[in-house]
Amino acid sequence: MTSTPVPAIKPRRQVRRPTLNWRRAPLWTVMLAACFLSVVPFYLMFVWASHPSAEVFTFPPHLWFGGAFADNAQALMRITDGQAARQFWNSLYIAAASTVTTLFFCSLAGYAFAMYDFRGKRPLFAFILGTMLIPPLVMDIPSFLVMNNVLHWVGQPRALWVPGMANAFGIFLMRQYITSALPRELIEAARMDGATEFGTFRMVVLPLIRPILATLGVVTFVGAWNNFKGALIMKLSEPDTMTLPLSLRRMAGGATNVNVDWGAIMMLVVITVIPLLIVFLFASRQVISGLTSGAVKD
Amino acid sequence: MSQRLTAPPRARLSYTRLQQRFAPYVFISPFFLLFLIFGLFPLLFSLFLAFHLWSPLDGLGHWKFVGFENFTLALGAQDMFWKTLKNTLWIGLLSGIPQHLVALPLAFIIHQSLRRFQGAFSTVLFLPYITNAVAIAIVFATLYSERLGILNYLRGLIGLDPVRWLGDPSMVPYSVAAVVFWRFVGWNTVLYLSGLQAISEDVYEAATVDGANQVQKFWFITLPLLRPMMFYAFTLTIVGSMQLFEEPFMLLNDGGGSGGAGLTTAMHIFNTAFRDLDMGYASAMSWLLFLAIFVMSMLNNALFSRGGERQ
């Protein structure tokens, strides 16, 4: 690190500065094409949601917005018996409960593994990491049986967010960040000032780990919001528990169903995706850097 | 100030010590409590069920021991298990290999030449990764529509015949793989980009001093130093595609479309467990799938470690 001449890098950077030179045109074309393909399905769902139901499918297809946005929203409310708002709320509740509890329990455990020395710390942490090797799919059936035959939580939203409250990935991410970003002296100082262990966590640690809380928060929120298989298995199919992905599935009835109101479905697709877009556009940089930094270490 | 200098009373001191000693155990206990209830117990229960014939309607305790019958049934010729495993692997290869073949050059371009815009590019490319699989499958299903979809419209513009994207069993794996590819190529690009950023400029400078050209730098510096990230990204792709469920389930219904060409093992297990209520058989298959994932991961591991020795 120290032996290589640092000034040697600088001239190269200066040469690199004029970015818009024509030799880069092919690279720009490739990148813009990739970005275009990433975005175009999002664009199309908004276009389709703005056309009358009968015109969602026309030949040649619509590529620009129409004027039926409000009509489709009304149709959606009619078809779902006014339940679309309730479904949105159910999804939001599960995602929010999941996020708040995951952030709390994972940061608490991550803090313990990063800042305390206690007997059994290494094997316990190794054990937690080891549980990540179990494919989620193997857990589907037995966790349904626990919910169905033991706890009787099937059909209740908490079946979706309680089991994941303290998860291995979150604890790992938190430990990584706290180990590298939080000086131990700070914890010592708080103790000297007479703070309890939990008080130190709440008043000193939590405010200082906001960046990684944002990362894990967005990841958890998005994961819970998108959880389709979980909702399917735990049968959140009653009007007062149905989540948006389940509702989408029921309305579309499989993709080959023709006798459906496509305008209304596209409206629901848009409603399902909008919170994801909002959450992500506010926090994308933080999420990407937080996730990938966790990936490089170890 | 003066208060801090006086020694705290004894009882308080010992309480302080006590809570300092036990705090870490309390802090990590939620994980272990939850794991016991929602992890370990279900896991053992699933292993137990794999050797039994049982439906949840029978109630607890009314299971019938069948030994390895569930496993031999799944591995036998008359069952769907092998077929679904083949489907899963095929769709996984069709989506996974292009993902990495495209993501690595994209990351390289962003890192090497378009550095100033890497934030914007990675945000846009990351977008498909966070989106809802059900919602996006509906959008793709409309694109794939045989008579009125945009894809066949575009084919028509250049004079090609329409394709039955979701109706023709030989097309189905490609159509499903395309959606999976679309969702995860940006995620892999972002992973590779961060791997590239972690490589120190100094190494390249030293190589330049030694007279290495661009190709040599890529081959002898970038690729070897990117190995850990490639291993990580490959592992995620393998584990993820072996459990593929939502995209084919939404695009093709639970049967996996005509001829069952899009029926993945995860869907088959889901149907067996929750539609046919044959929990023991489904458990056995989920353990077999676990085994398959494990074997694939080990192959991936071997591929990377052996290559490492050669370097």
Side-chain angles (χ1 to χ4, degrees), chain A residues 201-239:
Chain A
F201 169 75
R202 193 168 60 88
M203 289 178 296
V204 179
V205 178
L206 272 188
L208 288 174
I209 58 169
R210 271 195 204 142
I212 203 70
L213 288 177
T215 301
L216 184 61
V218 171
V219 171
T220 310
F221 185 92
V222 168
W225 180 270
N226 285 340
N227 188 352
F228 168 66
K229 202 176 162 199
L232 199 63
I233 290 176
M234 295 308 165
K235 300 195 173 109
L236 299 184
S237 42
E238 296 301 309

Side-chain angles (χ1 to χ4, degrees), chain A residues 1 4 8-9 12-13 16-17 19 24 27-28 30-32 34-35 37-39 41-42 44-45 48 57-61 63 105 108-109 111-113 116 118-119 124 127-128 131 133-151 153 162-163 165-168 171 191 193-194 196-198 222 225-226 228-229 232-233 245 248-249 252-256 262 265-266 269 272-273 276-277 280-281 284-285 287-288 291-292 295-296, chain B residues 4 12 15-16 19-21 23-28 30-32 34-35 37-43 45-46 49 54 56 59-60 106 109-110 112-117 119-136 138-143 145 147-150 152-153 166 182 187 190-191 194 198 201-202 204-206 208 229 232 239 242-243 245-246 249-254 266 269-270 273-274 279 282-283 286-287 289-290 293:
Chain A
M1 255 214 174
T4 28
I9 301 170
R12 270 187 67 203
R13 286 241 169 95
R16 216 178 258 165
R17 265 287 135 84
T19 330
R24 293 250 165 85
L27 300 183
W28 275 103
V30 170
M31 286 316 300
L32 292 178
C35 290
L37 290 177
S38 283
V39 169
F42 295 100
L44 286 175
M45 67 176 77
W48 284 327
F57 282 110
T58 50
F59 214 71
L63 296 175
F105 288 117
L108 201 58
Y111 167 62
F113 280 117
Y116 287 91
F118 52 94
R119 282 185 72 162
L124 287 174
F127 179 83
I128 292 182
T131 64
L133 298 176
I134 305 164
L137 188 135
V138 177
M139 303 302 299
D140 284 345
I141 295 164
S143 50
F144 168 78
L145 295 174
V146 170
M147 297 291 179
N148 187 49
N149 296 47
V150 183
L151 293 169
W153 283 8
V162 170
M165 287 193 301
N167 61 75
I171 294 173
R191 274 188 195 153
D193 286 349
T196 59
E197 297 307 296
F198 183 72
V222 168
W225 180 270
N226 285 340
F228 168 66
K229 202 176 162 199
L232 199 63
I233 290 176
L248 270 177
R249 163 75 187 175
T256 44
W262 279 98
I265 287 185
M266 284 305 160
V269 165
T272 306
V273 168
L276 298 170
L277 295 180
F280 187 66
L281 290 180
S284 66
R285 296 278 170 96
V287 172
I288 290 173
L291 276 184
T292 49
V296 198
Chain B
R4 228 186 268 170
R12 169 143 173 76
Y15 170 69
T16 308
Q19 62 131 4
Q20 272 182 16
R21 208 167 145 198
Y25 295 107
V26 176
F27 291 176
I28 64 172
F31 174 87
F32 292 96
L34 289 170
F35 183 74
I37 305 167
F38 300 107
L40 190 64
F41 175 61
L43 216 57
F45 195 23
S46 159
L49 277 182
W54 187 65
L60 294 177
L106 281 187
I109 292 174
I110 299 174
Q112 199 70 20
S113 310
L114 308 174
R115 229 175 238 217
R116 276 163 67 194
F117 304 91
F121 282 136
S122 40
T123 298
V124 173
L125 294 175
F126 203 68
L127 208 51
Y129 175 72
I130 59 130
T131 198
N132 186 290
V134 175
I136 219 65
I138 292 176
V139 173
F140 270 89
T142 24
L143 292 175
S145 166
R147 282 191 314 118
L148 303 168
I150 288 183
N152 279 340
Y153 169 72
L166 298 174
W182 177 82
W187 161 248
V190 166
L191 279 185
S194 82
E201 289 269 355
D202 300 353
Y204 290 103
E205 293 302 327
T208 314
M229 191 50 101
Y232 178 69
V239 174
M242 291 298 284
Q243 301 178 71
F245 176 80
E246 297 183 356
F249 188 85
M250 278 306 294
L251 286 169
L252 305 160
N253 278 327
D254 54 2
I269 293 174
F270 176 86
F274 300 106
M279 293 286 170
S283 296
S286 74
W287 282 98
L289 182 63
F290 182 21
I293 295 174

Side-chain angles (χ1 to χ4, degrees), chain B residues 70-92:
Chain B
N70 287 327
F71 292 96
T72 49
L73 192 64
L75 298 173
Q78 72 274 46
D79 193 75
M80 303 277 286
F81 183 77
W82 281 118
K83 184 182 155 59
T84 63
L85 204 59
K86 237 167 64 188
N87 289 343
T88 310
L89 280 172
W90 181 225
I91 295 173

Side-chain angles (χ1 to χ4, degrees), chain B residues 25 33 44 96 126 129 133 137 231 268 275:
Chain B
Y25 295 107
L33 272 175
L44 296 175
F126 203 68
Y129 175 72
F231 174 67
H268 183 45
R275 193 188 60 198

